[in-house]
Amino acid sequence: MQRSSSGRGGNQRSHCREHDADTEPPTVNIVIPRTPSSKAIAPYTCRSDAEDASLQLLINHYVTFITQKTVTSPGPRREWFPFAVRESAFFHAMMAGTASHLAYMRNESGDNAEYFYHRGAAISLVNRGIASGKAATEGIIATVAAFTQQESLAAQVKSVRLHLNGMVQLIGLAGGLMSPILRPKTRRRVLQSDLSAAIVLMQPPRLQPTLLDPDVSAYFGPPSYCTIRHARTLGTCLTNFTASQELSEVAVNIYWGLRNISASLEAIQAGTEVADAVEECVQFSDRVEVLERATHTFWYCDAEDSTSSIFRLFGWASLIHIYTVLRELPAELRIMKLVATRIKAEMEKCLNLNVLLATFKDLMLWIIFLGGRVSDVSYKPFFARQAAKILLIINITEDQADILQASQRFLWPERSVLKC
C-alpha cells in the first residue's frame, strides 16, 4: 500500500511539473543600468566636450560654493538643485544666474556667453510651456521669478517690469501665492524676487506674505544689552532731530535686525549656527526678508521735509548691507550702483547735509562707506569728500585701520577701540 501510494504521488508531482512548465511565462531578462540616464543628472542636451565641461563647472560652482558656502539662495538651500533637476526651464535659469555669479567672482562681466545661452534655453522652455497651456506650474513660476531676480540685480527696468508682471499673472492663474502647487521654498523665491524688483522700480512690493509673524522678535531674536542700549541712543537722537517718533521706532527695529542677523551670519560662517531649517520653519533668508521689508517704510516718508533725509539715507544704506553682507551678493551688481546713486542724490539735495554729518557722525560715516564701496567709479570722489569731513571732525585722517574701525562703529560700537 505504501509503495502504491508513493507511486501515485510521484506521478502526480511529475504531471504538475510538466503542466507548470507548459503554462509559466517565459523568463524576462531585466537589465538595470549601472548609472542613471543623463536626464536624472542634469536636464540639458549634450553639446560639445568643451561646452559640457563648462556646464559641469557651473554645476560644481552652484552645488559646492553657492549652496554650501553662501546664504544667497532662499532656504532650505540644498533643495534647489534637486528641484532644478526635475524642471528643465528652472535648471537653465539657475545656471544662467550661476554663470553671472562666477563671472563677478572672477572680476569679469556677468553678461557672458554662458549666461545668455542658459537664459535663452530657459526662455524657450517657458514659451513652450505657455504655448502648451501649462504655464501655471511651479517650475515655470520659479523660472520667471529667477528671471525677475536676475533682471533686478542687473537694474534693467523694462525687463524687470515685464517679468514681474508675468510672474504675478502666473501666480494668479495658479490660485494665488498660497496655492498648494507652490511649496514654501518657491514662495520664498517669488517673494525675494518681488522685493528686488521693488527696489529697481521704486514701488511697493506687488505680493504680500500672509504667514509672516508681525512680531519681529520672532525673526530678529532677542536683543542683547548692547543692542538695547545703542538702539535707544539712536532712537532718541533721531526723534530729537526729526520729531518723528514713528519713523524713529522703525529705525530702531532695523538697527536691531541689522545687528542680530549680522551676528547670526558670523556664527553661520564660523560653523556654530546653521542657516537652514525644516522647510516649514523660519529660515535665515526669512529673517533677512523681514528686515528688508522694514526698510521700505523709509521710501515713502515726506520728501519735502528736509529732516526725513536721514531716514531715507539709512534705509538705502541698510539695503546695501542686506544685499552685499546678509545675502552675500557681489558688490559690483548694477542694483547696488543704483542704490548708491540714490544715496548720492539724496545727500546732494539735502539742505542741511553738513548738520547731518556733524550730528550723526557714526551713522553717516557708515552710510557713506557703504555707498562709496558699491558706487560707480565717477561717484567715489563725492563719497570720499563727505567721509573726509567726518573724519576731520573726529580727528582721524591717516591711519587706515582707524578709518575702517570708524566706518563700522555705528553697527558695532562695542567692538571699537577708538577714543574719539
Side-chain angles (χ1 to χ4, degrees), residues 363-390:
L363 171 56
M364 288 300 298
L365 199 59
W366 181 74
I367 291 170
I368 290 167
F369 267 75
L370 282 172
R373 179 189 172 211
V374 302
S375 70
D376 188 83
V377 174
S378 61
Y379 293 160
K380 291 185 183 296
F382 170 82
F383 287 102
R385 288 193 298 271
Q386 307 311 316
K389 294 178 184 178
I390 301 176

Side-chain angles (χ1 to χ4, degrees), residues 4 12 16 19 94 111 114 187 201 238 296 320 389:
S4 176
Q12 290 174 352
C16 289
H19 178 74
M94 187 174 74
D111 300 336
E114 286 297 306
R187 293 191 194 102
L201 301 178
L238 288 171
H296 289 206
I320 295 175
K389 294 178 184 178

Side-chain angles (χ1 to χ4, degrees), residues 341-405:
T341 300
R342 291 174 182 170
I343 291 176
K344 176 178 179 290
E346 187 68 40
M347 293 177 68
E348 286 179 329
K349 74 177 184 180
C350 182
L351 300 178
N352 58 348
L353 177 59
N354 289 332
V355 176
L356 289 182
L357 297 176
T359 305
F360 300 97
K361 293 186 287 292
D362 290 344
L363 171 56
M364 288 300 298
L365 199 59
W366 181 74
I367 291 170
I368 290 167
F369 267 75
L370 282 172
R373 179 189 172 211
V374 302
S375 70
D376 188 83
V377 174
S378 61
Y379 293 160
K380 291 185 183 296
F382 170 82
F383 287 102
R385 288 193 298 271
Q386 307 311 316
K389 294 178 184 178
I390 301 176
L391 293 172
L392 188 62
I393 294 173
I394 61 179
N395 198 28
I396 298 177
T397 56
E398 295 182 359
D399 194 306
Q400 292 186 357
D402 287 349
I403 293 174
L404 182 61
Q405 273 200 51

Side-chain angles (χ1 to χ4, degrees), residues 63-310:
V63 173
T64 63
F65 185 81
I66 294 178
T67 296
Q68 296 186 10
K69 297 183 180 180
T70 75
V71 292
T72 302
S73 301
R77 297 167 298 168
R78 288 176 175 80
E79 293 189 8
W80 283 112
F81 188 74
F83 176 77
V85 167
R86 301 189 298 272
E87 301 288 347
S88 297
F90 181 74
F91 172 82
H92 284 289
M94 187 174 74
M95 288 299 101
T98 303
S100 182
H101 187 278
L102 183 59
Y104 276 115
M105 290 194 63
R106 293 173 168 175
N107 294 321
E108 300 171 356
S109 171
D111 300 336
N112 52 35
E114 286 297 306
Y115 168 81
F116 285 113
Y117 168 77
H118 288 289
R119 183 173 175 79
I123 291 173
S124 176
L125 290 167
V126 168
N127 290 337
R128 192 181 309 168
I130 294 174
S132 64
K134 299 179 180 178
T137 64
E138 185 180 35
I140 288 184
I141 290 173
T143 302
V144 178
F147 290 160
T148 306
Q149 176 83 347
Q150 291 166 9
E151 297 292 0
S152 297
L153 297 180
Q156 300 295 324
V157 177
K158 292 183 179 179
S159 298
V160 170
R161 185 173 287 109
L162 173 68
H163 288 120
L164 177 63
N165 290 337
M167 182 181 74
V168 172
Q169 290 176 5
L170 290 174
I171 291 172
L173 291 174
L177 191 59
M178 299 310 298
S179 169
I181 74 167
L182 298 178
R183 282 170 283 187
K185 67 173 179 291
T186 306
R187 293 191 194 102
R188 290 185 177 101
R189 180 170 288 277
V190 165
L191 291 170
Q192 190 178 104
S193 299
D194 186 33
L195 286 174
S196 298
I199 297 173
V200 176
L201 301 178
M202 195 58 184
Q203 67 181 27
R206 296 275 297 276
L207 303 171
Q208 295 298 326
T210 57
L211 298 180
L212 289 180
D213 193 327
D215 180 12
V216 295
S217 62
Y219 300 93
F220 296 169
S224 65
Y225 169 75
C226 286
T227 298
I228 293 173
R229 182 162 59 91
H230 299 310
R232 283 177 178 172
T233 302
L234 174 64
T236 301
C237 292
L238 288 171
T239 302
N240 292 339
F241 186 81
T242 65
S244 176
Q245 180 70 33
E246 181 181 357
L247 292 178
S248 297
E249 289 178 356
V250 174
V252 165
N253 283 340
I254 292 175
Y255 183 75
W256 168 18
L258 287 170
R259 281 176 56 94
N260 276 27
I261 299 176
S262 296
S264 291
L265 179 59
E266 292 176 356
I268 290 168
Q269 293 169 340
T272 57
E273 285 188 20
V274 293
D276 297 335
V278 179
E279 190 171 20
E280 291 75 16
C281 297
V282 175
Q283 312 288 327
F284 179 83
S285 57
D286 295 337
R287 302 173 65 190
V288 178
E289 178 190 335
V290 172
L291 177 61
E292 182 174 352
R293 288 184 185 279
T295 66
H296 289 206
T297 307
F298 293 149
W299 299 5
Y300 313 111
C301 54
D302 186 4
E304 300 301 324
D305 183 2
S306 60
T307 61
S308 64
S309 290
I310 189 64

